[in-house]
Amino acid sequence: MRALHADAGYLLHRLGLRSGQLFNAFLQESGLRLRHYAVLRFLATSEGALQRELAARLGYDPSAIVGLVDDLEKQGLAERRPAPDDRRSRIVVLTDAGRAFLRGTDEAGRRVTAELLAPLDDADRETLHTLLLRVAEAGLD
């Protein structure tokens, strides 16, 4: 294990898995998973998005986005609407119920992060966040 723990990529992968497990456990009651949550969080930062844009921005397979949006529509958390600039296209938008759902998940997100980062003090958490953000933003170029 020591060799694996020397690999930052492996450690990031393991932490991502653990974070997903913790958050999925919280979301289980709602019938959603972390992938649904990611779509909702993205939609909360936009006026809506084409499904292909969601797939590209979130790094999901386009066919997976269709099912995720279907699930969110069934729960009334998102809906497809005609795109304002091209009536043939449909954008996915967050509903009021979706916004309320996200507000209700804020505390759970903080708890998941706190549990995951419990070994770190506040300064270490801030440093880690800054470094992860730098790496993530560089990967989005």
Side-chain angles (χ1 to χ4, degrees):
M1 288 300 287
R2 186 165 286 168
L4 281 175
H5 287 177
D7 182 344
Y10 172 77
L11 291 174
L12 288 169
H13 173 72
R14 290 293 307 225
L15 289 171
L17 288 175
R18 181 66 183 138
S19 176
Q21 290 168 344
L22 292 170
F23 211 85
N24 279 332
F26 163 74
L27 290 172
Q28 189 172 17
E29 290 178 23
S30 67
L32 300 180
R33 310 245 334 133
L34 186 55
R35 295 171 65 98
H36 296 98
Y37 176 80
V39 171
L40 291 173
R41 274 286 168 210
F42 180 83
L43 293 174
T45 66
S46 69
E47 295 295 317
L50 297 169
Q51 288 183 171
R52 67 178 168 267
E53 179 186 4
L54 287 170
R57 296 293 301 273
L58 296 172
Y60 295 165
D61 185 88
S63 62
I65 289 293
V66 172
L68 292 170
V69 173
D70 287 347
D71 294 344
L72 294 171
E73 274 193 313
K74 286 176 192 167
Q75 293 206 18
L77 302 175
E79 63 184 21
R80 292 175 176 99
R81 295 182 184 161
D85 56 340
D86 180 0
R87 293 283 190 204
R88 293 172 294 166
S89 295
R90 315 254 318 145
I91 61 170
V92 182
V93 297
L94 194 62
T95 63
D96 289 339
R99 281 182 187 37
F101 176 82
L102 286 175
R103 282 192 301 276
T105 63
D106 289 343
E107 178 57 32
R110 286 189 287 275
R111 283 196 314 266
V112 166
T113 299
E115 182 174 334
L116 208 66
L117 302 181
L120 305 178
D121 64 25
D122 290 342
D124 287 341
R125 289 177 190 203
E126 183 62 33
T127 299
L128 177 63
H129 184 263
T130 299
L131 294 171
L132 289 173
L133 191 58
R134 189 183 316 160
V135 172
E137 287 174 347
L140 297 176
D141 293 339

